[in-house]
Amino acid sequence: MFSVSFMNIEQANSAAEDQRRVAIFKALAEQNRLRIIRVLYQTHREMTCSEVGAQLNISKSTVSYHFKALRVVGLTNTRQVAQTKYLSLQLATFDRYLPGFLATL
Amino acid sequence: MFSVSFMNIEQANSAAEDQRRVAIFKALAEQNRLRIIRVLYQTHREMTCSEVGAQLNISKSTVSYHFKALRVVGLTNTRQVAQTKYLSLQLATFDRYLPGFLATL
DNA sequence: TTCTTAGTTCGACATTAATCGAACTAATAA
DNA sequence: TTATTAGTTCGATTAATGTCGAACTAAGAA
């Protein structure tokens, strides 16, 4: 029966996993954050809030907001040197939830 | 200089492509739509609004809203038989923008 | 024709998200 | 010490999103 197979599938994927997927998609569903991800991937460079703010022409509070959005869902890492924070990609998260995605950028 | 490499990358990815990516992520960044995608993928079956509404326990107007959201960004196909519309995955879109994603479900 | 079934569209409402400036902390430089 | 630089947090505002029920269209059944 259809309802049976549907239930099995729902059970096989925990609600927690699903929430994680939705959170990751939400994080990527925004133009500026997507640009940040692409630059991090294509330049093989870390970035700071100041750099991003200057390039994307958005206020530093907004950049900080986007950096946090990417970090809390595990898409990026933060390395701090004094008061400067360097952002880089957390490749393990991409590999697990979006394998092959970065290469499409 | 950093700004130069950044600009080149921005140019290499058209604004249209980026908007498409954002639209696709937005479509997937919702619990019920993600469930619909998973069921379509794992059952290798088409689905109707009625079926989805019954299984996910949401109103038919909401189901219709989600079906449209998936269709307009090209994640799904619709095959109509009389007044019934059958939804299926448009695999080409996944292959191009999210290769490997479906297999993680 | 009348009734049912499958979806769509239209307000309306509540929730979330993006953005900014201002005020803040903390580290470094002058 | 004072000034500068890098980020964060806090309202506030505006825009977008998810949800529903009600009214609608269109196809088939009785």
Side-chain angles (χ1 to χ4, degrees):
Chain A
M1 226 132 24
F2 178 66
S3 59
V4 172
S5 64
F6 190 98
M7 288 297 287
N8 289 345
I9 288 161
E10 284 297 304
Q11 287 167 359
N13 283 269
S14 72
E17 274 269 295
D18 250 35
Q19 283 189 318
R20 179 99 200 264
R21 286 195 183 93
V22 168
I24 287 171
F25 282 130
K26 276 190 201 297
L28 293 171
E30 204 280 330
Q31 215 178 27
N32 288 322
R33 289 196 291 264
L34 192 58
R35 286 191 202 153
I36 293 168
I37 294 295
R38 181 170 51 242
V39 174
L40 288 173
Y41 175 68
Q42 294 190 330
T43 63
H44 296 281
R45 236 180 126 272
E46 294 173 313
M47 296 191 79
T48 65
C49 280
S50 301
E51 284 176 333
V52 172
Q55 294 296 335
L56 300 186
N57 218 27
I58 49 183
S59 74
K60 64 178 185 171
S61 59
T62 300
V63 175
S64 179
Y65 170 78
H66 288 314
F67 270 36
K68 189 175 189 177
L70 291 171
R71 183 165 30 80
V72 296
V73 300
L75 288 173
T76 56
N77 279 118
T78 301
R79 180 175 67 91
Q80 181 158 3
V81 176
Q83 69 272 58
T84 302
K85 294 186 175 178
Y86 295 94
L87 207 73
S88 60
L89 296 181
Q90 182 139 29
L91 296 177
T93 303
F94 285 92
D95 288 346
R96 176 164 179 187
Y97 292 96
L98 295 166
F101 162 67
L102 288 173
T104 70
L105 291 175
Chain B
M1 224 133 25
F2 178 64
S3 59
V4 173
S5 63
F6 189 98
M7 288 297 288
N8 288 346
I9 288 162
E10 284 297 304
Q11 287 166 359
N13 282 270
S14 72
E17 274 270 295
D18 249 35
Q19 283 189 319
R20 179 100 201 264
R21 285 194 183 93
V22 168
I24 287 171
F25 282 129
K26 275 189 201 296
L28 293 171
E30 204 280 329
Q31 214 180 26
N32 288 322
R33 290 196 290 264
L34 191 59
R35 287 191 201 154
I36 292 168
I37 294 294
R38 181 170 54 238
V39 174
L40 288 172
Y41 175 68
Q42 294 190 329
T43 64
H44 296 280
R45 235 181 128 271
E46 295 173 313
M47 296 191 79
T48 64
C49 280
S50 301
E51 285 175 336
V52 171
Q55 294 298 334
L56 300 187
N57 219 27
I58 50 184
S59 74
K60 64 179 185 172
S61 57
T62 300
V63 175
S64 179
Y65 170 78
H66 288 313
F67 270 36
K68 189 174 189 177
L70 291 170
R71 183 166 31 80
V72 296
V73 301
L75 288 174
T76 57
N77 279 118
T78 301
R79 179 174 68 91
Q80 181 158 4
V81 177
Q83 68 271 59
T84 303
K85 294 186 176 176
Y86 295 94
L87 207 73
S88 59
L89 296 182
Q90 182 138 29
L91 295 176
T93 303
F94 285 94
D95 288 347
R96 176 164 180 188
Y97 292 97
L98 295 167
F101 162 66
L102 287 173
T104 70
L105 291 175

